[in-house]
Amino acid sequence: MIRSLPELSVVIAARNEAKGLPSLLADLAPGWRQLLEVVVVDGGSGDGTARLAQLAGARVLSSAPCRGAQLAAGVAATDGAWLLLLHADARLPRGWQSLLRDAMERGPQRAWAFRLAVDAPGPALRFVEALVTLRSRWRRLPYGDQGLLVSRLQLRAAGGIRAIPLMEDLDLVLRLRRLGTIGLLPGSLRVSGRRWRRLGVLGTALANARLRRAWRQGTPPEQLAQRYYAGSELRRL
């Protein structure tokens, strides 16, 4: 028997995800009536993402194409005592309802993320996934593509989500980590492998590391977002 999640709001940041978003909404469908709400915040898509989300039954909000602003807008528009923050290219594991319920029952002072699984073949990516699991478990440092389950109480105590276009996940997790434990859920969140395929495993890992280092050194998130989405990190390799 699947236990209900009436206090959980799901917030999904999306932009031009007409191909991937329906799969995520289909994953949510078995527990749709057990959730308080599912909100998709569209960042100016031109491929019908918003319309597909509406047809699937989600509530759709519009936002500037800024992932931090999208997630913040979704959180502000929801009422759940708990929030599940997702990117639109993710796929939930089977039995996600029970995994979330078990985590929520541990109390609101603890946030959670899924293990990472990249939707692409190859031993190099399996190695990346293992490293991400170690980082998440021992350094308590998951990133946004692993999803984030957090109580509204804890999110407010951390200062909320900053409306920045990149590094909003690392910025938030570092603040959450100062307040309490960030646990690792037993299930894996499967994410698109398109960037890994485009840049290659080594190229993607190096590009991500450079972006994080630049952010820690004070580079504005807007500049980092331009670099990320333009693929300029690839040209620097």
Side-chain angles (χ1 to χ4, degrees):
M1 178 179 177
I2 297 174
R3 293 170 291 171
S4 63
L5 299 162
E7 66 270 47
L8 179 65
S9 297
V10 179
V11 177
I12 303 170
R15 187 185 181 200
N16 293 326
E17 288 289 352
K19 291 184 178 180
L21 180 59
S23 296
L24 174 57
L25 295 177
D27 289 341
L28 286 166
W32 201 276
R33 293 183 179 179
Q34 297 151 359
L35 299 168
L36 179 61
E37 55 200 336
V38 176
V39 174
V40 174
V41 187
D42 182 61
S45 298
D47 64 349
T49 293
R51 180 57 177 158
L52 285 171
Q54 289 174 334
L55 290 172
R59 180 153 61 102
V60 178
L61 304 177
S62 296
S63 167
C66 168
R67 197 157 59 198
Q70 289 171 249
L71 291 171
V75 168
T78 55
D79 297 315
W82 284 83
L83 297 144
L84 177 62
L85 309 177
L86 297 170
H87 297 173
D89 65 347
R91 297 294 309 274
L92 288 162
R94 290 185 178 181
W96 58 267
Q97 301 101 313
S98 294
L99 297 179
L100 298 188
R101 169 55 68 194
D102 290 344
M104 292 160 64
E105 288 177 348
R106 301 285 292 274
Q109 285 75 36
R110 190 172 189 177
W112 299 84
F114 288 98
R115 289 179 170 85
L116 178 71
V118 181
D119 191 14
L125 282 173
R126 305 293 80 80
F127 180 67
V128 167
E129 293 165 355
L131 289 179
V132 170
T133 296
L134 288 174
R135 183 195 68 210
S136 302
R137 177 178 293 142
W138 299 114
R139 297 185 62 198
R140 296 178 294 141
L141 201 61
Y143 295 152
D145 52 5
Q146 293 172 248
L148 184 67
L149 175 69
V150 61
S151 70
R152 193 176 298 270
L153 178 70
Q154 195 77 333
L155 183 60
R156 285 174 176 165
I161 302 171
R162 292 178 59 203
I164 54 179
L166 202 68
M167 300 297 165
E168 82 294 334
D169 52 350
L170 182 55
D171 174 74
L172 174 59
V173 164
L174 288 173
R175 286 183 280 124
L176 285 171
R177 195 172 64 170
R178 291 194 288 267
L179 296 175
T181 300
I182 301 177
L184 195 60
L185 296 165
S188 295
L189 194 70
R190 185 166 296 278
V191 300
S192 171
R194 59 195 171 195
R195 191 165 187 260
W196 295 94
R197 289 191 293 267
R198 186 174 75 248
L199 301 185
V201 174
L202 179 60
T204 301
L206 288 175
N208 290 342
R210 284 171 172 162
L211 289 167
R212 289 192 295 269
R213 183 173 64 248
W215 179 74
R216 288 190 174 97
Q217 292 172 347
T219 303
E222 293 76 14
Q223 183 177 333
L224 295 177
Q226 291 177 352
R227 187 186 301 175
Y228 177 86
Y229 291 111
S232 61
E233 284 295 330
L234 176 60
R235 294 192 288 270
R236 294 174 57 194
L237 297 178

